[in-house]
């Protein structure tokens, strides 16, 4: 298939943000795409080559891309840099420059999707000292044969700046319409996506064999499952209203969620956002098969740092010391952990997703052989508010964040946040209640003791409808000196020349960042704001929502992608909950 079909679709998609129109453009494209290459087309639309958990990264630096354009167009790199900085978009700058060139030369051959995809794949696989030259060679060969529009999109894809604002569910809507004739079937595609985390694979199956192929989509070892998520509750009473008479109360440990895939001796660990994190946990790989009574399995556990002498749980920050490229062995001995199993999704050829919590817990108790390293998550069946209070008290004394409350009859709902799992944290009892995970979008230079570092950070929520990061607060408290240094280091890699188009803020930061780093914040209240853009117009026309007295908790959420940050809807529901609480308090007072 000609790549021009994809490039033209991308071009018209850039001219709208309306979901219905975007869906229709994709339907038209998918109908023209042969099933053998639809997975490649879906990945390219997402600006990737493979699903994230496979870790195939293009990673072409802008400098190399500029050199490739310079080579193809026969124009000095400086001129291209200049055009880029004026417009802020390398793809568009390249398209314009190459437009002028093609008026005087002939193109040699049509480029196909297959060729673009294969070449980009080769680029991603290049490693070592000569890789930069080879990358340059491959990119130039594509640019030489590409039309200006095609070249623009190739450059956007390789420099990771294709921003179409199409969410996964828009792609699934379009696949459902194109291959099953009805958008209603999106939910079936979604289920397949939730168990495979691979939109390309789902697309290929539905394009080749229709909806029945999708219905039979199976859980399989080494394809991560999108995690089940919990809703917040503020009190045992609220939990009871949602859960009914009896439910399970598990400790909520403050560590990292790991999805463990195991077949014989082979083990892969995935994070909360399904990134492959096996390399950070060589101790799990080494020890875990001995603790499991199964040939193959997919399990979920919380990895928690512990004090080696006393066995006490330590805070999440301790665990994050393991997130490093080098000297992992040292980090493993310095920061020992335990693995605390809380769910099982697959065991010896059978999916457990449709089993109830009770049944899954029974299986878990059978297959986990507890020892110093591998544990079962402490669980108590509870019936009354007092019992919940007692378990909560014990959990907190043991160093936990709170409790996870789980419906006994509920199946494992992959990828869904619902009331079958509830989280009850200690902080929920005071002030705003919950902590929030926000994306660092900008920063302000520090003064006094903070000179030479950032004095305050500008933070945003994630709006999945528009794929944007509206600002919600500026935060300057809660930072230790070590944090300030760490932020300066981590964020300097993320600085952009211009504000990323997905950032939406009424404030002018001193520097803007690629929205990537997620940090945890607590605050006293959510208020209406004329400056901040979270939930703009949703509560009151012309106002967004902002945090009052925000404070950094000390946690950088390395395991979360910016799309996993707190969403606008969650802020609205916290705002509404806060209003209800004030009204109830007033009534009690009267
Ligand atoms: P999300 O709800 O989006 O995962 P989050 O990670 O900020 O966001 P938390 O408030 O931390 O949500 O609660 C869910 C997390 O709690 C899980 O992702 C998991 O890492 C952790 N956790 C600890 N103990 C348990 C448990 N017993 N069952 C399930 N999750 C647990």
């Amino acid at each position: 298939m000609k790549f021009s079909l994809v490039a033209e679709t991308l071009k018209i998609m850039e001219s709208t943000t309306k979901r219905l129109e975007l869906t229709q453009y994709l339907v038209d494209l998918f109908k023209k795409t042969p099933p053998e290459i639809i997975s490649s087309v879906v990945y390219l639309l997402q600006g990737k080559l493979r699903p994230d958990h496979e870790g195939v990264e293009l990673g072409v630096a802008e400098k190399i891309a500029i050199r490739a354009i310079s080579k193809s167009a026969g124009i000095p790199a400086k001129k291209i840099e200049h055009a880029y900085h004026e417009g802020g978009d390398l793809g568009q700058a390249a398209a314009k420059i190459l437009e002028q060139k093609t008026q005087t030369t002939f193109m040699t051959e049509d480029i196909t999707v297959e060729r673009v995809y294969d070449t980009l794949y080769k680029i991603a696989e290049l490693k070592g000292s000569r890789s930069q030259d080879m990358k340059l060679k491959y990119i130039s060969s594509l640019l030489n044969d590409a039309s200006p529009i095609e070249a623009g999109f190739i450059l956007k894809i390789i420099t990771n700046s294709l921003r179409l604002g199409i969410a996964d569910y828009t792609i699934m809507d379009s696949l459902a319409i194109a291959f099953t004739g009805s958008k209603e079937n999106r939910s079936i595609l979604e289920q397949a996506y939730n168990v495979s985390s691979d939109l390309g694979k789902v697309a290929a199956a539905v394009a080749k064999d229709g909806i029945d192929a999708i219905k039979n989509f199976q859980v399989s070892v080494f394809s991560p499952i999108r995690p089940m998520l919990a809703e917040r509750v503020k009190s045992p009473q609220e939990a009871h209203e949602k859960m009914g008479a009896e439910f399970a109360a598990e400790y909520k440990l403050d560590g990292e969620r790991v999805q463990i895939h195991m077949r014989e001796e082979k083990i892969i660990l995935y994070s909360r956002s399904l990134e492959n994190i096996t390399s950070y946990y060589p101790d799990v790989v080494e020890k875990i098969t001995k603790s499991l009574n199964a040939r193959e399995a997919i399990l979920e556990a919380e990895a928690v740092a512990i004090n080696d002498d006393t066995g006490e749980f330590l805070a999440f920050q301790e665990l994050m010391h393991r997130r490093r490229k080098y000297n992992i062995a040292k980090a493993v001995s310095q920061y020992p952990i335990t693995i605390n199993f809380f769910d099982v999704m697959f065991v010896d050829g059978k999916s457990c997703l449709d089993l109830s919590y009770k049944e899954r817990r029974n299986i878990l108790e059978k297959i986990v052989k507890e020892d110093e390293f591998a544990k079962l998550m402490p669980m108590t069946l509870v019936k009354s508010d007092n019992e919940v209070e007692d378990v909560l008290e014990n959990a907190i004394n043991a160093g936990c964040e709170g409790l996870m409350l789980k419906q006994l009859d509920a199946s494992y709902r992959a990828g869904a946040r619902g009331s079958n799992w509830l989280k009850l944290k200690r902080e929920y009892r005071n002030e705003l209640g919950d902590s929030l995970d926000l994306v660092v979008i900008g920063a302000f230079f520090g003064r006094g003791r903070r000179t030479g570092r950032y004095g305050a950070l500008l933070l945003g929520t994630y709006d999945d409808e528009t794929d944007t990061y509206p600002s919600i607060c500026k935060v300057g408290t809660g930072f230790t000196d070590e944090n300030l240094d760490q932020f300066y280091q981590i964020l300097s890699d993320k600085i952009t020349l211009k504000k990323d188009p997905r950032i939406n803020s009424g404030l002018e930061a001193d520097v803007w960042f690629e929205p990537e780093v997620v940090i945890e914040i607590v605050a006293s209240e959510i208020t209406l704001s004329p400056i901040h853009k979270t939930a703009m117009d949703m509560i009151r026309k012309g106002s967004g929502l902002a945090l009052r007295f925000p404070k950094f908790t000390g946690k950088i959420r390395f395991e979360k992608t910016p799309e996993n940050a707190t969403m606008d809807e969650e802020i609205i529901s916290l705002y509404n909950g806060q209003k209800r609480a004030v009204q109830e308090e007033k009534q009690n007072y009267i």
Side-chain angles (χ1 to χ4, degrees):
M1 178 166 113
K2 287 187 193 167
F3 184 66
S4 58
L5 276 174
V6 176
E8 275 152 23
T9 307
L10 292 173
K11 176 107 189 120
I12 29 172
M13 286 178 78
E14 275 189 336
S15 63
T16 181
T17 52
K18 296 201 180 93
R19 179 124 50 94
L20 275 181
E21 288 177 18
L22 290 169
T23 309
Q24 192 51 48
Y25 294 137
L26 289 177
V27 170
D28 295 342
L29 175 67
F30 291 154
K31 282 188 170 164
K32 289 180 209 152
T33 306
E36 308 79 70
I37 58 161
I38 196 154
S39 57
S40 309
V41 169
V42 166
Y43 298 134
L44 290 175
L45 287 170
Q46 297 178 298
K48 327 177 170 166
L49 294 175
R50 295 290 304 158
D52 288 338
H53 59 263
E54 291 188 14
V56 178
E57 276 178 34
L58 264 165
V60 173
E62 281 176 356
K63 263 198 184 134
I64 303 242
I66 290 172
R67 272 171 63 199
I69 305 166
S70 154
K71 206 168 152 199
S72 293
I75 289 175
K78 276 265 167 279
K79 263 195 163 169
I80 295 161
E81 260 172 45
H82 185 72
Y84 167 36
H85 290 163
E86 271 194 343
D89 184 322
L90 186 58
Q92 262 165 27
K96 252 195 210 152
I97 288 165
L98 292 165
E99 183 93 48
Q100 288 155 11
K101 175 205 158 195
T102 40
Q103 285 163 4
T104 54
T105 52
F106 294 108
M107 275 183 290
T108 44
E109 56 177 306
D110 271 341
I111 54 170
T112 60
V113 173
E114 291 87 329
R115 176 171 163 204
V116 173
Y117 184 87
D118 291 346
T119 312
L120 298 190
Y121 208 96
K122 279 187 203 146
I123 293 175
E125 281 187 320
L126 285 171
K127 291 201 174 62
S129 54
R130 284 198 51 234
S131 69
Q132 305 298 11
D133 290 342
M134 288 302 285
K135 281 184 188 176
L136 185 65
K137 206 175 125 212
Y138 283 134
I139 303 167
S140 307
S141 81
L142 279 182
L143 296 188
N144 284 343
D145 292 333
S147 72
I149 295 181
E150 290 169 340
F153 285 110
I154 291 170
L155 287 160
K156 283 188 188 197
I157 293 171
I158 62 177
T159 55
N160 204 5
S161 53
L162 182 69
R163 310 259 180 259
L164 291 172
I166 38 170
D168 293 345
Y169 49 78
T170 310
I171 297 184
M172 285 189 267
D173 275 348
S174 312
L175 290 168
I177 299 170
F179 301 114
T180 77
S182 160
K183 197 166 136 181
E184 301 298 304
N185 287 324
R186 206 273 304 278
S187 58
I188 302 176
L189 296 185
E190 210 170 326
Q191 269 171 20
Y193 178 46
N194 286 337
V195 301
S196 65
S197 310
D198 185 341
L199 212 46
K201 191 169 162 189
V202 174
V206 72
K208 270 188 210 140
D209 301 314
I211 200 73
D212 286 337
I214 292 293
K215 283 185 187 149
N216 295 327
F217 235 72
Q218 300 295 336
V219 175
S220 62
V221 183
F222 307 125
S223 293
I225 297 169
R226 307 217 320 134
M228 178 163 177
L229 305 172
E231 273 180 8
R232 307 174 165 89
V233 280
K234 281 200 161 142
S235 63
Q237 295 87 313
E238 196 185 338
H240 251 122
E241 282 160 28
K242 297 201 163 162
M243 292 244 149
E246 192 185 26
F247 48 92
E250 291 181 0
Y251 278 14
K252 184 176 193 313
L253 296 180
D254 187 15
E256 175 163 35
R257 186 175 191 158
V258 276
Q259 199 178 109
I260 302 176
H261 287 234
M262 181 270 273
R263 177 176 294 139
E264 314 276 358
E265 297 299 307
K266 183 174 172 191
I267 308 248
I268 297 186
L269 309 180
Y270 298 101
S271 69
R272 154 81 173 72
S273 52
L274 307 184
E275 184 198 345
N276 185 333
I277 47 168
T278 318
S279 64
Y280 302 130
Y281 293 102
D283 41 352
V284 178
V285 175
E286 188 196 316
K287 297 181 192 167
I288 214 69
T289 35
K290 289 187 218 88
S291 316
L292 295 173
N293 236 334
R295 194 182 57 80
E296 51 171 8
I298 305 176
L299 303 132
E300 263 189 326
E302 191 81 355
V304 187
I306 52 151
N307 178 324
D308 218 5
D309 299 325
T310 61
E312 275 171 314
F313 297 128
L314 299 177
F316 172 82
Q317 287 91 317
E318 298 295 318
L319 187 64
M320 284 301 116
H321 287 116
R322 285 187 168 213
R323 291 247 161 183
R324 49 166 91 169
K325 278 202 180 122
Y326 310 105
N327 261 341
I328 300 250
K330 190 167 164 215
V332 166
S333 68
Q334 255 177 340
Y335 303 98
I337 57 165
T338 57
I339 285 286
N340 302 269
F341 289 96
F342 62 80
D343 221 317
V344 53
M345 290 98 116
F346 184 86
V347 67
D348 291 339
K350 288 199 194 83
S351 166
C352 304
L353 295 187
D354 292 332
L355 302 181
S356 67
Y357 168 81
K358 244 184 182 163
E359 293 166 311
R360 299 199 311 277
R361 177 81 194 190
N362 276 337
I363 298 177
L364 201 60
E365 289 177 6
K366 283 200 188 104
I367 61 175
V368 175
K369 292 180 275 180
E370 286 194 279
D371 55 27
E372 287 296 296
F373 185 68
K375 313 260 175 210
L376 280 163
M377 187 66 84
M379 186 275 282
T380 317
L381 290 175
V382 284
K383 283 189 175 140
S384 67
D385 293 351
N386 280 345
E387 284 172 348
V388 179
E389 292 281 0
D390 287 348
V391 190
L392 181 62
E393 183 92 19
N394 290 343
I396 294 197
N397 288 337
C400 299
E401 277 185 307
L403 297 178
M404 293 292 291
L405 306 174
K406 299 184 178 178
Q407 182 84 261
L408 299 178
D409 301 326
S411 58
Y412 189 97
R413 303 239 358 252
R417 191 185 295 282
S419 55
N420 290 329
W421 279 16
L422 301 174
K423 45 188 175 185
L424 176 63
K425 288 195 202 170
R426 180 178 35 185
E427 306 105 62
Y428 288 11
R429 299 165 158 223
N430 52 41
E431 311 220 60
L432 176 59
D434 198 7
S435 57
L436 307 171
D437 296 322
L438 302 174
V439 186
V440 184
I441 52 180
F444 303 86
F445 291 121
R447 281 190 243 146
R449 259 183 60 221
R450 296 189 179 177
T451 305
R453 296 177 292 183
Y454 300 126
L457 303 178
L458 183 64
L459 305 177
T461 45
Y462 179 57
D463 180 354
D464 62 338
E465 286 280 307
T466 51
D467 189 28
T468 55
Y469 297 93
S471 72
I472 186 165
C473 70
K474 186 174 158 182
V475 62
T477 46
F479 304 125
T480 60
D481 277 351
E482 195 192 338
N483 292 150
L484 290 172
D485 289 340
Q486 203 183 7
F487 278 129
Y488 201 73
Q489 229 179 41
I490 299 174
L491 291 167
S492 62
D493 275 357
K494 316 285 176 208
I495 294 176
T496 52
L497 291 170
K498 283 196 147 195
K499 180 160 80 173
D500 186 293
R502 292 170 301 165
I503 292 174
N504 183 5
S505 177
L507 282 180
E508 263 315 308
D510 293 335
V511 277
W512 295 106
F513 304 116
E514 185 80 23
E516 269 180 24
V517 177
V518 180
I519 64 173
E520 191 181 77
I521 294 290
V522 285
S524 65
E525 207 187 339
I526 301 175
T527 55
L528 288 164
S529 160
I531 306 168
H532 290 293
K533 306 287 184 184
T534 291
M536 192 68 193
D537 297 333
M538 302 295 283
I539 303 283
R540 185 190 293 161
K541 207 126 202 67
S543 292
L545 291 175
L547 299 183
R548 209 152 157 247
F549 303 130
K551 185 174 166 206
F552 177 51
T553 64
K555 278 191 192 173
I556 301 180
R557 307 273 331 231
F558 289 106
E559 84 290 15
K560 285 203 156 189
T561 63
E563 292 89 2
N564 298 145
T566 304
M567 303 226 187
D568 283 25
E569 303 131 46
E570 294 178 71
I571 301 289
I572 294 173
S573 116
L574 283 170
Y575 178 80
N576 288 334
Q578 174 186 285
K579 259 191 2 205
R580 264 198 308 278
V582 170
Q583 275 158 3
E584 275 164 22
E585 216 166 86
K586 267 192 196 153
Q587 270 165 3
N588 289 340
Y589 188 69
I590 292 162

